[in-house]
Amino acid sequence: MNPPSPSISSDAVLRVRSQSLRSKNLIAAATDKISLAIGEPDFDTPQVVIDAQIQAIKSGYTHYSPQEGRGELVNAILQAAVGVAGNGFSSENILVTHGGSAGLTATILGLINPGDVVLLEDPTYSLYLDGINLAGGSVKRFARNEAGELDFNAIDNDAKGAKLIVLCHPSNPTGAIISPAEWASFADIVKRHGLVILCDEAYEGLTYDNAFVSALDVPGLREHLIVSRTFSKKYAMTGWRLGYLVGESQLIASASTAHRTFNGSINSANQFAGATALLKAGDDAEKMRRVFQTRRDLMESCLREIPNIQFRRSDGAFYFWLRYPDHLGTSLDVAAKAAQAGVMVRRGEEFGSTGKHALRLSYATDERSIKEGVARLARLLA
Ligand SMILES: Cc1ncc(COP(=O)(O)O)c(C=O)c1O
């Protein structure tokens, strides 16, 4: 008998591959294609941030930085992002990460053992599922009803024996934010069952109807909380690969151990850029937020013209989540047909099974593309 041939991929990688919901953008066949599939701001990084990085390189900051992050950035996070007065955070509560992605995956790998249960919303950003599969954890999903409400009795039931709840606030893909009353219910559940909340605040600051309330400001949650943020969205810095975690110190220490195994320390000069973004690019970020708000309003009014679809107003991030009648086919089919018709969108199934007949539309693009893209989609969904 031949000895079994060793697999070229680990079980962890095979688990991620077989269960991942992530998909590449479909390539549109039409020449005049419009993308409403974009997951990043279409703005340039603010000049003051670029200048800070160039200056840092010229000043010789070209060496390794401390694993947990340079003091300049950690202090800026403590000052600007979590507020310094009376919140009790110190550098032990911060980890600078290789973008939001690495912070999220490091948190999951630092916390989850094979077999541990993690609660995830459906739909939600697909990276969490990949991280959970990498760790060997299992998932229970919860969903909002048609009115956008969460069933906290069901969540409470599923939370028994679970270890972690991952929340995306504001949400990719729905644009929903978690309300103060919902936060109170989550805080009650995690305290009673001894769970941890990982709150992904990648779109922190990008809210349009209500001021952004961070999970960090929810009373009673602090001991159970780790928050992941990134410079990618608010400061239009997707290519810089810079983010950070803020949270309970033991959770940060575990995430740090996982993070350093696959990232090492973070680009030194970029950390000066990050500190400058937090301390000096607030006005630039606010200008971008206002443009997103105008585009959100425009996309909403265009979508209201389409009969038979269901959607809720996007409160944050830069996405609308729309459901269309089941008979039109799966989101894979509809997204493929949309690509043929010259408009690219993300298929809903990428974010969970509730997205089988749903699409995610991004308004991180210009007004002409929003109008024409939605018009093309309207013809398809009619
Ligand atoms: C909800 C959410 N979290 C995290 C990320 C990853 O951000 P980063 O570019 O910092 O890795 C994204 C990117 O699309 C996102 O949508």
Side-chain angles (χ1 to χ4, degrees), residues 39 99-101 104 125 128 168 172 200 202-203 230 232-233 241:
S101 306
L104 292 162
Y125 184 51
Y128 317 136
C168 190
N172 174 7
D200 182 359
Y203 297 88
T230 173
S232 290
K233 316 288 176 170
R241 311 311 306 134

Side-chain angles (χ1 to χ4, degrees), residues 320-322 324 331 334-335 345-348 358-361 377:
F320 275 91
W321 178 253
L322 67 89
Y324 57 81
S331 68
V334 172
V345 295
R346 297 301 282 237
R347 62 190 180 92
L359 302 170
R360 188 198 77 176
L361 271 54
L377 207 58

Side-chain angles (χ1 to χ4, degrees), residues 95 102 105-111 252-263:
L95 178 71
T105 303
T107 302
I108 292 168
L109 291 179
L111 185 66
I252 292 288
S254 299
S256 176
T257 303
H259 188 263
R260 73 169 183 240
T261 64
F262 50 89
N263 287 296

Side-chain angles (χ1 to χ4, degrees), residues 44-46 49-54 97-99 231-232 235-243 266-267 269-274:
D44 293 329
T45 300
V49 175
I50 294 172
D51 291 344
Q53 197 247 26
I54 292 170
T97 62
H98 188 263
F231 291 82
S232 290
Y235 298 104
M237 291 174 68
T238 48
W240 297 66
R241 311 311 306 134
L242 193 63
I266 299 303
N267 180 312
N270 283 6
Q271 294 188 56
F272 284 90

Side-chain angles (χ1 to χ4, degrees), residues 2 49 116 140 148 150 164 185 217 240-241 246 274 291 303 305 312 327 347 365 375:
N2 291 334
V49 175
D116 282 346
K140 285 186 182 169
L150 290 167
L164 174 69
S185 300
D217 294 322
W240 297 66
R241 311 311 306 134
V246 187
V291 175
L303 288 172
E305 300 298 310
R312 299 178 62 75
H327 69 84
R347 62 190 180 92
T365 189

